[in-house]
Amino acid sequence: MELAATDDVTTVVQRITSIFAPAGDFDQFSEEYGFSGDYDTENKVIQFRINTFVNPYTQDVTSVYRKRLSRLDFLKRIATIEAYEPSRLGSMQIKLTIPVANVTDEQLKRLKDVIFQMHSEQVPNESLVWFKSEYNDDVCYFEGNMWWYPSRAVIMGEDGYERYDFSDESKFDMAMWDIVTGDYDQLEYSDSFELISSETFQDIWNKTEKEHEPEPW
């Protein structure tokens, strides 16, 4: 069955929702699986954004993404598929634009299966990454998970260092959290960026703990 371009907005949205989230809230599906979708009423197209992750420590990021993208070949004739270059931390976004008049329910169900398959390959306990970078000329060491939610950070400048444990509510610094997450691109694409091991990060974390008690900026 096709989604007719002449269907009213409510009907189209209901049918998309019935395919992607038959048991509940469409937004809940989106949050849980790194996926978002909406209906462009003016151009009568469905737009999907799929966020997918490959741990750069355990797999070849580029080759894994190439295989994942190939699973969307069945949509090539009807959809515009845009895939952004994988980030240094192993994340990539895929954007699909599908004219409502051309897509069938079966194709959308198959797309849902592909999204679930990609999600199932993202092992939760393998989602942590550690890296060294620069922020405003300070040397920074970060630990965070696959969608870039930093969990710990050590920032070293001329005047010493600051240490942040974003997982500890008693030490959480919202201002620093906002800076780190807001300047993600600056951190990830600085010339000094490099992946480091968990052991290297932990050594730096332990060393700074022994020097003095850090105070939030």
Side-chain angles (χ1 to χ4, degrees), residues 1 18 49 52 72 80 83 92 122 126-128 135 148-149 161 166-167 174 186 188 193 203 205 208:
M1 182 182 294
S18 70
R49 288 177 178 81
T52 178
L72 298 171
T80 300
M92 183 182 73
Q122 296 165 183
E126 292 184 358
S127 67
L128 280 175
Y135 184 84
W148 188 236
Y149 292 104
Y161 76 92
F166 299 113
S167 64
M174 178 59 77
Q186 179 181 332
E188 191 174 1
F193 175 93
D203 285 346
W205 183 263
T208 52

PDB file of all heavy atoms in Angstrom, residues 1 18 49 52 72 80 83 92 122 126-128 135 148-149 161 166-167 174 186 188 193 203 205 208:
ATOM      1  N   MET A   1       0.838  -1.191   0.000  1.00  0.00           N
ATOM      2  CA  MET A   1       0.000   0.000   0.000  1.00  0.00           C
ATOM      3  C   MET A   1       0.874   1.244   0.000  1.00  0.00           C
ATOM      4  O   MET A   1       1.850   1.328   0.730  1.00  0.00           O
ATOM      5  CB  MET A   1      -0.910   0.026   1.234  1.00  0.00           C
ATOM      6  CG  MET A   1      -1.849   1.220   1.285  1.00  0.00           C
ATOM      7  SD  MET A   1      -2.851   1.231   2.801  1.00  0.00           S
ATOM      8  CE  MET A   1      -3.840  -0.238   2.553  1.00  0.00           C
ATOM      9  N   SER A  18       2.056   4.427  12.938  1.00  0.00           N
ATOM     10  CA  SER A  18       1.600   3.044  13.107  1.00  0.00           C
ATOM     11  C   SER A  18       2.663   2.044  12.676  1.00  0.00           C
ATOM     12  O   SER A  18       2.725   0.922  13.190  1.00  0.00           O
ATOM     13  CB  SER A  18       0.316   2.809  12.300  1.00  0.00           C
ATOM     14  OG  SER A  18       0.579   2.810  10.907  1.00  0.00           O
ATOM     15  N   ARG A  49      16.143  11.177   9.883  1.00  0.00           N
ATOM     16  CA  ARG A  49      17.549  11.330  10.274  1.00  0.00           C
ATOM     17  C   ARG A  49      17.912  10.147  11.165  1.00  0.00           C
ATOM     18  O   ARG A  49      17.265   9.924  12.183  1.00  0.00           O
ATOM     19  CB  ARG A  49      17.781  12.650  10.998  1.00  0.00           C
ATOM     20  CG  ARG A  49      17.713  13.860  10.077  1.00  0.00           C
ATOM     21  CD  ARG A  49      17.885  15.163  10.836  1.00  0.00           C
ATOM     22  NE  ARG A  49      17.876  16.299   9.932  1.00  0.00           N
ATOM     23  CZ  ARG A  49      16.775  16.859   9.441  1.00  0.00           C
ATOM     24  NH1 ARG A  49      15.596  16.381   9.783  1.00  0.00           N
ATOM     25  NH2 ARG A  49      16.856  17.886   8.625  1.00  0.00           N
ATOM     26  N   THR A  52      23.949   6.951  13.790  1.00  0.00           N
ATOM     27  CA  THR A  52      24.513   5.624  13.993  1.00  0.00           C
ATOM     28  C   THR A  52      25.966   5.753  14.464  1.00  0.00           C
ATOM     29  O   THR A  52      26.635   6.744  14.173  1.00  0.00           O
ATOM     30  CB  THR A  52      24.420   4.778  12.694  1.00  0.00           C
ATOM     31  OG1 THR A  52      25.011   3.516  12.909  1.00  0.00           O
ATOM     32  CG2 THR A  52      25.066   5.468  11.521  1.00  0.00           C
ATOM     33  N   LEU A  72      20.414   0.388   2.682  1.00  0.00           N
ATOM     34  CA  LEU A  72      19.377   1.330   2.248  1.00  0.00           C
ATOM     35  C   LEU A  72      19.259   1.397   0.725  1.00  0.00           C
ATOM     36  O   LEU A  72      18.510   2.206   0.197  1.00  0.00           O
ATOM     37  CB  LEU A  72      19.680   2.730   2.797  1.00  0.00           C
ATOM     38  CG  LEU A  72      19.686   2.858   4.319  1.00  0.00           C
ATOM     39  CD1 LEU A  72      20.222   4.218   4.730  1.00  0.00           C
ATOM     40  CD2 LEU A  72      18.293   2.643   4.891  1.00  0.00           C
ATOM     41  N   THR A  80      16.138  10.386  -1.639  1.00  0.00           N
ATOM     42  CA  THR A  80      17.436  11.053  -1.624  1.00  0.00           C
ATOM     43  C   THR A  80      18.146  10.637  -0.339  1.00  0.00           C
ATOM     44  O   THR A  80      17.612  10.825   0.754  1.00  0.00           O
ATOM     45  CB  THR A  80      17.272  12.588  -1.647  1.00  0.00           C
ATOM     46  OG1 THR A  80      16.573  12.967  -2.830  1.00  0.00           O
ATOM     47  CG2 THR A  80      18.632  13.270  -1.626  1.00  0.00           C
ATOM     48  N   ALA A  83      24.622  10.890   3.343  1.00  0.00           N
ATOM     49  CA  ALA A  83      25.386  10.321   4.450  1.00  0.00           C
ATOM     50  C   ALA A  83      26.573  11.223   4.737  1.00  0.00           C
ATOM     51  O   ALA A  83      27.385  11.490   3.849  1.00  0.00           O
ATOM     52  CB  ALA A  83      25.853   8.914   4.115  1.00  0.00           C
ATOM     53  N   MET A  92      27.925   8.963  12.832  1.00  0.00           N
ATOM     54  CA  MET A  92      27.561   9.449  11.513  1.00  0.00           C
ATOM     55  C   MET A  92      26.045   9.608  11.432  1.00  0.00           C
ATOM     56  O   MET A  92      25.296   8.834  12.029  1.00  0.00           O
ATOM     57  CB  MET A  92      28.015   8.480  10.415  1.00  0.00           C
ATOM     58  CG  MET A  92      27.720   8.996   9.001  1.00  0.00           C
ATOM     59  SD  MET A  92      28.206   7.841   7.684  1.00  0.00           S
ATOM     60  CE  MET A  92      26.934   6.577   7.858  1.00  0.00           C
ATOM     61  N   GLN A 122      25.101  -1.558  18.044  1.00  0.00           N
ATOM     62  CA  GLN A 122      25.776  -0.603  18.922  1.00  0.00           C
ATOM     63  C   GLN A 122      25.750  -1.152  20.347  1.00  0.00           C
ATOM     64  O   GLN A 122      24.767  -1.012  21.061  1.00  0.00           O
ATOM     65  CB  GLN A 122      25.078   0.756  18.836  1.00  0.00           C
ATOM     66  CG  GLN A 122      25.194   1.356  17.440  1.00  0.00           C
ATOM     67  CD  GLN A 122      24.245   2.500  17.193  1.00  0.00           C
ATOM     68  OE1 GLN A 122      24.196   3.038  16.108  1.00  0.00           O
ATOM     69  NE2 GLN A 122      23.484   2.895  18.190  1.00  0.00           N
ATOM     70  N   GLU A 126      30.328  -0.876  24.922  1.00  0.00           N
ATOM     71  CA  GLU A 126      31.450  -0.531  24.060  1.00  0.00           C
ATOM     72  C   GLU A 126      31.295   0.873  23.484  1.00  0.00           C
ATOM     73  O   GLU A 126      31.849   1.206  22.440  1.00  0.00           O
ATOM     74  CB  GLU A 126      31.577  -1.536  22.915  1.00  0.00           C
ATOM     75  CG  GLU A 126      31.993  -2.931  23.361  1.00  0.00           C
ATOM     76  CD  GLU A 126      32.189  -3.866  22.180  1.00  0.00           C
ATOM     77  OE1 GLU A 126      31.957  -3.438  21.035  1.00  0.00           O
ATOM     78  OE2 GLU A 126      32.561  -5.026  22.405  1.00  0.00           O
ATOM     79  N   SER A 127      30.526   1.708  24.182  1.00  0.00           N
ATOM     80  CA  SER A 127      30.220   3.022  23.632  1.00  0.00           C
ATOM     81  C   SER A 127      31.113   4.137  24.152  1.00  0.00           C
ATOM     82  O   SER A 127      31.016   5.273  23.702  1.00  0.00           O
ATOM     83  CB  SER A 127      28.752   3.376  23.912  1.00  0.00           C
ATOM     84  OG  SER A 127      28.538   3.555  25.303  1.00  0.00           O
ATOM     85  N   LEU A 128      31.974   3.844  25.115  1.00  0.00           N
ATOM     86  CA  LEU A 128      32.837   4.890  25.659  1.00  0.00           C
ATOM     87  C   LEU A 128      34.025   5.170  24.736  1.00  0.00           C
ATOM     88  O   LEU A 128      34.584   4.259  24.128  1.00  0.00           O
ATOM     89  CB  LEU A 128      33.357   4.497  27.039  1.00  0.00           C
ATOM     90  CG  LEU A 128      32.398   4.704  28.212  1.00  0.00           C
ATOM     91  CD1 LEU A 128      33.012   4.156  29.487  1.00  0.00           C
ATOM     92  CD2 LEU A 128      32.035   6.172  28.404  1.00  0.00           C
ATOM     93  N   TYR A 135      41.109  23.137  23.849  1.00  0.00           N
ATOM     94  CA  TYR A 135      39.967  24.031  23.999  1.00  0.00           C
ATOM     95  C   TYR A 135      40.498  25.371  24.491  1.00  0.00           C
ATOM     96  O   TYR A 135      41.033  25.458  25.599  1.00  0.00           O
ATOM     97  CB  TYR A 135      38.942  23.468  24.986  1.00  0.00           C
ATOM     98  CG  TYR A 135      37.708  24.332  25.097  1.00  0.00           C
ATOM     99  CD1 TYR A 135      36.669  24.199  24.183  1.00  0.00           C
ATOM    100  CD2 TYR A 135      37.601  25.294  26.092  1.00  0.00           C
ATOM    101  CE1 TYR A 135      35.546  24.997  24.261  1.00  0.00           C
ATOM    102  CE2 TYR A 135      36.469  26.093  26.177  1.00  0.00           C
ATOM    103  CZ  TYR A 135      35.451  25.948  25.253  1.00  0.00           C
ATOM    104  OH  TYR A 135      34.354  26.758  25.334  1.00  0.00           O
ATOM    105  N   TRP A 148      28.242  11.568  22.323  1.00  0.00           N
ATOM    106  CA  TRP A 148      28.976  12.644  22.939  1.00  0.00           C
ATOM    107  C   TRP A 148      28.225  13.284  24.105  1.00  0.00           C
ATOM    108  O   TRP A 148      27.780  14.431  24.069  1.00  0.00           O
ATOM    109  CB  TRP A 148      29.463  13.715  21.962  1.00  0.00           C
ATOM    110  CG  TRP A 148      30.369  14.624  22.732  1.00  0.00           C
ATOM    111  CD1 TRP A 148      30.274  15.965  22.885  1.00  0.00           C
ATOM    112  CD2 TRP A 148      31.459  14.213  23.562  1.00  0.00           C
ATOM    113  NE1 TRP A 148      31.243  16.423  23.750  1.00  0.00           N
ATOM    114  CE2 TRP A 148      31.983  15.358  24.187  1.00  0.00           C
ATOM    115  CE3 TRP A 148      32.035  12.981  23.859  1.00  0.00           C
ATOM    116  CZ2 TRP A 148      33.050  15.306  25.066  1.00  0.00           C
ATOM    117  CZ3 TRP A 148      33.097  12.939  24.742  1.00  0.00           C
ATOM    118  CH2 TRP A 148      33.587  14.094  25.322  1.00  0.00           C
ATOM    119  N   TYR A 149      28.089  12.495  25.146  1.00  0.00           N
ATOM    120  CA  TYR A 149      27.711  12.977  26.465  1.00  0.00           C
ATOM    121  C   TYR A 149      28.935  12.773  27.347  1.00  0.00           C
ATOM    122  O   TYR A 149      29.213  11.655  27.757  1.00  0.00           O
ATOM    123  CB  TYR A 149      26.515  12.203  27.017  1.00  0.00           C
ATOM    124  CG  TYR A 149      25.238  12.470  26.263  1.00  0.00           C
ATOM    125  CD1 TYR A 149      24.737  11.532  25.374  1.00  0.00           C
ATOM    126  CD2 TYR A 149      24.551  13.661  26.427  1.00  0.00           C
ATOM    127  CE1 TYR A 149      23.574  11.764  24.662  1.00  0.00           C
ATOM    128  CE2 TYR A 149      23.383  13.906  25.713  1.00  0.00           C
ATOM    129  CZ  TYR A 149      22.901  12.962  24.838  1.00  0.00           C
ATOM    130  OH  TYR A 149      21.760  13.189  24.133  1.00  0.00           O
ATOM    131  N   TYR A 161      45.044  22.986  36.503  1.00  0.00           N
ATOM    132  CA  TYR A 161      44.058  22.141  35.839  1.00  0.00           C
ATOM    133  C   TYR A 161      42.705  22.252  36.526  1.00  0.00           C
ATOM    134  O   TYR A 161      42.588  22.703  37.664  1.00  0.00           O
ATOM    135  CB  TYR A 161      44.515  20.674  35.860  1.00  0.00           C
ATOM    136  CG  TYR A 161      44.315  20.027  37.222  1.00  0.00           C
ATOM    137  CD1 TYR A 161      43.131  19.343  37.500  1.00  0.00           C
ATOM    138  CD2 TYR A 161      45.269  20.137  38.220  1.00  0.00           C
ATOM    139  CE1 TYR A 161      42.925  18.777  38.749  1.00  0.00           C
ATOM    140  CE2 TYR A 161      45.072  19.570  39.453  1.00  0.00           C
ATOM    141  CZ  TYR A 161      43.890  18.897  39.724  1.00  0.00           C
ATOM    142  OH  TYR A 161      43.685  18.353  40.954  1.00  0.00           O
ATOM    143  N   PHE A 166      31.134  14.589  35.386  1.00  0.00           N
ATOM    144  CA  PHE A 166      29.757  14.905  35.021  1.00  0.00           C
ATOM    145  C   PHE A 166      28.775  13.837  35.488  1.00  0.00           C
ATOM    146  O   PHE A 166      27.564  14.049  35.459  1.00  0.00           O
ATOM    147  CB  PHE A 166      29.647  15.087  33.509  1.00  0.00           C
ATOM    148  CG  PHE A 166      30.499  16.211  32.984  1.00  0.00           C
ATOM    149  CD1 PHE A 166      31.580  15.949  32.165  1.00  0.00           C
ATOM    150  CD2 PHE A 166      30.231  17.526  33.316  1.00  0.00           C
ATOM    151  CE1 PHE A 166      32.378  16.978  31.677  1.00  0.00           C
ATOM    152  CE2 PHE A 166      31.012  18.572  32.840  1.00  0.00           C
ATOM    153  CZ  PHE A 166      32.088  18.290  32.018  1.00  0.00           C
ATOM    154  N   SER A 167      29.288  12.697  35.903  1.00  0.00           N
ATOM    155  CA  SER A 167      28.411  11.619  36.372  1.00  0.00           C
ATOM    156  C   SER A 167      28.098  11.743  37.856  1.00  0.00           C
ATOM    157  O   SER A 167      27.219  11.053  38.374  1.00  0.00           O
ATOM    158  CB  SER A 167      29.050  10.256  36.101  1.00  0.00           C
ATOM    159  OG  SER A 167      30.253  10.116  36.844  1.00  0.00           O
ATOM    160  N   MET A 174      27.226  22.479  35.384  1.00  0.00           N
ATOM    161  CA  MET A 174      26.392  22.677  34.206  1.00  0.00           C
ATOM    162  C   MET A 174      27.042  23.619  33.199  1.00  0.00           C
ATOM    163  O   MET A 174      26.954  23.413  31.982  1.00  0.00           O
ATOM    164  CB  MET A 174      25.022  23.225  34.609  1.00  0.00           C
ATOM    165  CG  MET A 174      24.093  23.504  33.431  1.00  0.00           C
ATOM    166  SD  MET A 174      23.767  22.034  32.409  1.00  0.00           S
ATOM    167  CE  MET A 174      22.576  21.189  33.444  1.00  0.00           C
ATOM    168  N   GLN A 186      34.575  21.873  17.692  1.00  0.00           N
ATOM    169  CA  GLN A 186      35.878  22.467  17.961  1.00  0.00           C
ATOM    170  C   GLN A 186      36.807  21.449  18.617  1.00  0.00           C
ATOM    171  O   GLN A 186      37.989  21.378  18.311  1.00  0.00           O
ATOM    172  CB  GLN A 186      35.728  23.693  18.872  1.00  0.00           C
ATOM    173  CG  GLN A 186      37.056  24.350  19.226  1.00  0.00           C
ATOM    174  CD  GLN A 186      36.908  25.539  20.154  1.00  0.00           C
ATOM    175  OE1 GLN A 186      35.880  26.207  20.149  1.00  0.00           O
ATOM    176  NE2 GLN A 186      37.922  25.792  20.956  1.00  0.00           N
ATOM    177  N   GLU A 188      36.489  18.006  18.531  1.00  0.00           N
ATOM    178  CA  GLU A 188      36.740  16.815  17.723  1.00  0.00           C
ATOM    179  C   GLU A 188      37.604  17.096  16.497  1.00  0.00           C
ATOM    180  O   GLU A 188      38.324  16.224  16.018  1.00  0.00           O
ATOM    181  CB  GLU A 188      35.417  16.186  17.289  1.00  0.00           C
ATOM    182  CG  GLU A 188      35.571  14.823  16.670  1.00  0.00           C
ATOM    183  CD  GLU A 188      34.245  14.156  16.381  1.00  0.00           C
ATOM    184  OE1 GLU A 188      33.194  14.762  16.636  1.00  0.00           O
ATOM    185  OE2 GLU A 188      34.269  13.023  15.874  1.00  0.00           O
ATOM    186  N   PHE A 193      43.686  16.797  17.995  1.00  0.00           N
ATOM    187  CA  PHE A 193      42.818  15.684  18.394  1.00  0.00           C
ATOM    188  C   PHE A 193      43.526  14.343  18.213  1.00  0.00           C
ATOM    189  O   PHE A 193      44.162  14.082  17.197  1.00  0.00           O
ATOM    190  CB  PHE A 193      41.534  15.686  17.559  1.00  0.00           C
ATOM    191  CG  PHE A 193      40.646  14.498  17.831  1.00  0.00           C
ATOM    192  CD1 PHE A 193      39.636  14.574  18.761  1.00  0.00           C
ATOM    193  CD2 PHE A 193      40.834  13.290  17.158  1.00  0.00           C
ATOM    194  CE1 PHE A 193      38.817  13.483  19.018  1.00  0.00           C
ATOM    195  CE2 PHE A 193      40.029  12.192  17.414  1.00  0.00           C
ATOM    196  CZ  PHE A 193      39.015  12.296  18.347  1.00  0.00           C
ATOM    197  N   ASP A 203      45.028   7.302  34.103  1.00  0.00           N
ATOM    198  CA  ASP A 203      46.283   7.730  34.727  1.00  0.00           C
ATOM    199  C   ASP A 203      46.284   9.229  34.963  1.00  0.00           C
ATOM    200  O   ASP A 203      46.699   9.709  36.031  1.00  0.00           O
ATOM    201  CB  ASP A 203      47.476   7.347  33.837  1.00  0.00           C
ATOM    202  CG  ASP A 203      47.783   5.859  33.885  1.00  0.00           C
ATOM    203  OD1 ASP A 203      47.260   5.179  34.797  1.00  0.00           O
ATOM    204  OD2 ASP A 203      48.526   5.393  33.002  1.00  0.00           O
ATOM    205  N   TRP A 205      43.617  11.155  35.166  1.00  0.00           N
ATOM    206  CA  TRP A 205      42.574  11.416  36.165  1.00  0.00           C
ATOM    207  C   TRP A 205      43.112  11.178  37.585  1.00  0.00           C
ATOM    208  O   TRP A 205      42.923  12.001  38.487  1.00  0.00           O
ATOM    209  CB  TRP A 205      41.374  10.521  35.898  1.00  0.00           C
ATOM    210  CG  TRP A 205      40.199  10.743  36.802  1.00  0.00           C
ATOM    211  CD1 TRP A 205      39.888  10.038  37.926  1.00  0.00           C
ATOM    212  CD2 TRP A 205      39.179  11.735  36.658  1.00  0.00           C
ATOM    213  NE1 TRP A 205      38.745  10.518  38.500  1.00  0.00           N
ATOM    214  CE2 TRP A 205      38.279  11.559  37.742  1.00  0.00           C
ATOM    215  CE3 TRP A 205      38.931  12.732  35.728  1.00  0.00           C
ATOM    216  CZ2 TRP A 205      37.152  12.357  37.915  1.00  0.00           C
ATOM    217  CZ3 TRP A 205      37.805  13.536  35.905  1.00  0.00           C
ATOM    218  CH2 TRP A 205      36.937  13.342  36.981  1.00  0.00           C
ATOM    219  N   THR A 208      45.824  13.899  38.621  1.00  0.00           N
ATOM    220  CA  THR A 208      45.288  15.222  38.964  1.00  0.00           C
ATOM    221  C   THR A 208      44.553  15.178  40.303  1.00  0.00           C
ATOM    222  O   THR A 208      44.549  16.161  41.040  1.00  0.00           O
ATOM    223  CB  THR A 208      44.333  15.728  37.868  1.00  0.00           C
ATOM    224  OG1 THR A 208      43.341  14.730  37.602  1.00  0.00           O
ATOM    225  CG2 THR A 208      45.075  16.043  36.592  1.00  0.00           C
TER     226      THR A 208
END
